[in-house]
Amino acid sequence: PVQYTRARHAYSALQRERLAADCSAHLPAVLRGSPRLSSRAAPTPPERDEDTIRSLFPKTCSLPRVEFEADPGHEPAAGHEPVKLGVVLSGGQAPGGHNVIAGVFDAIRRWHPDSTLVGFLDGPKGIFRGDFVEVTREIIDGFRNTGGFDMLGSGRHKIETDEQMQNSMTVCAGLGLDGLIVIGGDDSNTNAALLAEFFEAQGCKTKVIGVPKTIDGDLKYPPHIPVSFGFDTACKTYAALVGNVAVDALSAQKYYH
């Protein structure tokens, strides 16, 4: 890993309040405690696209779907082994990115206190270049509940060529990653799906997971993905801005800024 040099050194009063906030009440009920995992049949592709999807993803399109089920009384099984996961921010910023990383960190530490989270720097190129840091609690606590993607940085690079695919697998295998989490929009998740297919075909143990991130609201798959994170905040922010301009125009009557 490289030395981490991206810590924030100054915070506004609002940021400090957010850092100290207990947001556990906002956690979906299904993720509180130790939810059960249930295996379901793989989703059936749309009929018009089924042949294309199965030809592009022969190894992964039929994998079973895994769902979380709320079970407040469920206790995690003893004897869990530590897990090692990687995470990367991909594409444009969206509110909530830092808390996705914080949530993953908290969850794997509940699974086993020796679990490790690796953060790839500046988007997908950090994967195939092997640019990463170990994400520690000190790093997490400097960004929890705050906006931005500056904890790790992001990028719009793609993992496209055979060399980039191979290098990505070499890095993930060398780190012994059990999973790689790609936080991105529709383009980034398409790239993640292709990477998952490549890893599976090559027998790599690293499982690739996509987290739907976009302020555009164009990454949905009801009922499994009702909305991407970041979209609701963006709508409220833009609505407030438009409302402010409208009120300003009504107030000034002649000029507005």
Side-chain angles (χ1 to χ4, degrees), residues 88-90 92-97 100 149 181-190 192 209-232:
V88 64
L89 295 165
S90 180
Q93 298 179 103
V100 172
F149 271 16
I181 300 169
V182 179
I183 303 171
D186 53 352
D187 208 16
S188 299
N189 273 275
T190 299
I209 301 97
V211 176
K213 173 275 310 176
T214 174
I215 65 172
D216 301 332
D218 59 354
L219 186 53
K220 302 177 183 179
Y221 184 43
H224 309 295
I225 306 175
V227 68
S228 59
F229 82 81
F231 179 67
D232 182 66

Side-chain angles (χ1 to χ4, degrees), residues 136-152:
T136 63
R137 184 169 298 280
E138 181 181 14
I139 292 174
I140 289 290
D141 288 344
F143 292 91
R144 194 183 294 272
N145 303 327
T146 64
F149 271 16
D150 49 313
M151 179 196 295
L152 300 176

Side-chain angles (χ1 to χ4, degrees), residues 187-200:
D187 208 16
S188 299
N189 273 275
T190 299
N191 202 199
L194 293 169
L195 193 63
E197 178 70 23
F198 180 80
F199 282 10
E200 188 73 15

Side-chain angles (χ1 to χ4, degrees), residues 3-255:
Q3 183 177 1
Y4 189 74
T5 58
R6 306 185 183 206
R8 292 174 175 174
H9 300 291
Y11 298 93
S12 67
L14 177 59
Q15 286 176 319
R16 292 187 181 279
E17 183 178 342
R18 287 175 173 172
L19 287 171
D22 179 7
C23 297
S24 57
H26 300 287
L27 190 69
V30 71
L31 296 180
R32 295 175 188 169
S34 298
R36 292 184 181 275
L37 298 181
S38 297
S39 181
R40 301 283 190 265
T44 303
E47 185 175 352
R48 68 179 185 278
D49 301 320
E50 184 170 1
D51 290 343
T52 301
I53 291 173
R54 293 193 184 281
S55 66
L56 290 171
F57 305 101
K59 297 290 185 181
T60 55
C61 69
S62 298
L63 291 177
R65 188 177 76 250
V66 175
E67 290 185 357
F68 292 99
E69 293 181 349
D71 188 353
H74 178 230
E75 293 295 332
H80 284 163
E81 294 294 324
V83 295
K84 191 172 188 180
L85 302 182
V87 64
V88 64
L89 295 165
S90 180
Q93 298 179 103
H98 287 156
N99 268 15
V100 172
I101 300 174
V104 171
F105 180 87
D106 293 343
I108 64 173
R109 287 298 177 89
R110 283 199 303 270
W111 176 265
H112 193 287
D114 293 331
S115 293
T116 304
L117 183 62
V118 167
F120 291 100
L121 300 175
D122 300 323
K125 70 177 182 181
I127 302 174
F128 58 76
R129 291 182 178 180
D131 296 333
F132 64 92
V133 296
E134 181 177 341
V135 180
T136 63
R137 184 169 298 280
E138 181 181 14
I139 292 174
I140 289 290
D141 288 344
F143 292 91
R144 194 183 294 272
N145 303 327
T146 64
F149 271 16
D150 49 313
M151 179 196 295
L152 300 176
S154 187
R156 295 186 180 274
H157 323 90
K158 300 292 184 293
I159 303 174
E160 297 177 307
T161 67
D162 291 342
E163 182 182 11
Q164 291 170 344
M165 289 279 189
Q166 184 63 51
N167 287 346
S168 297
M169 186 177 70
T170 299
V171 169
C172 290
L175 289 171
L177 296 185
D178 298 293
L180 172 64
I181 300 169
V182 179
I183 303 171
D186 53 352
D187 208 16
S188 299
N189 273 275
T190 299
N191 202 199
L194 293 169
L195 193 63
E197 178 70 23
F198 180 80
F199 282 10
E200 188 73 15
Q202 300 299 316
C204 178
K205 79 166 186 175
T206 305
K207 305 302 180 184
V208 183
I209 301 97
V211 176
K213 173 275 310 176
T214 174
I215 65 172
D216 301 332
D218 59 354
L219 186 53
K220 302 177 183 179
Y221 184 43
H224 309 295
I225 306 175
V227 68
S228 59
F229 82 81
F231 179 67
D232 182 66
T233 304
C235 287
K236 290 175 180 175
T237 300
Y238 293 140
L241 292 172
V242 172
N244 289 344
V245 171
V247 171
D248 192 45
L250 288 171
S251 302
Q253 298 185 33
K254 186 175 181 181
Y255 303 106

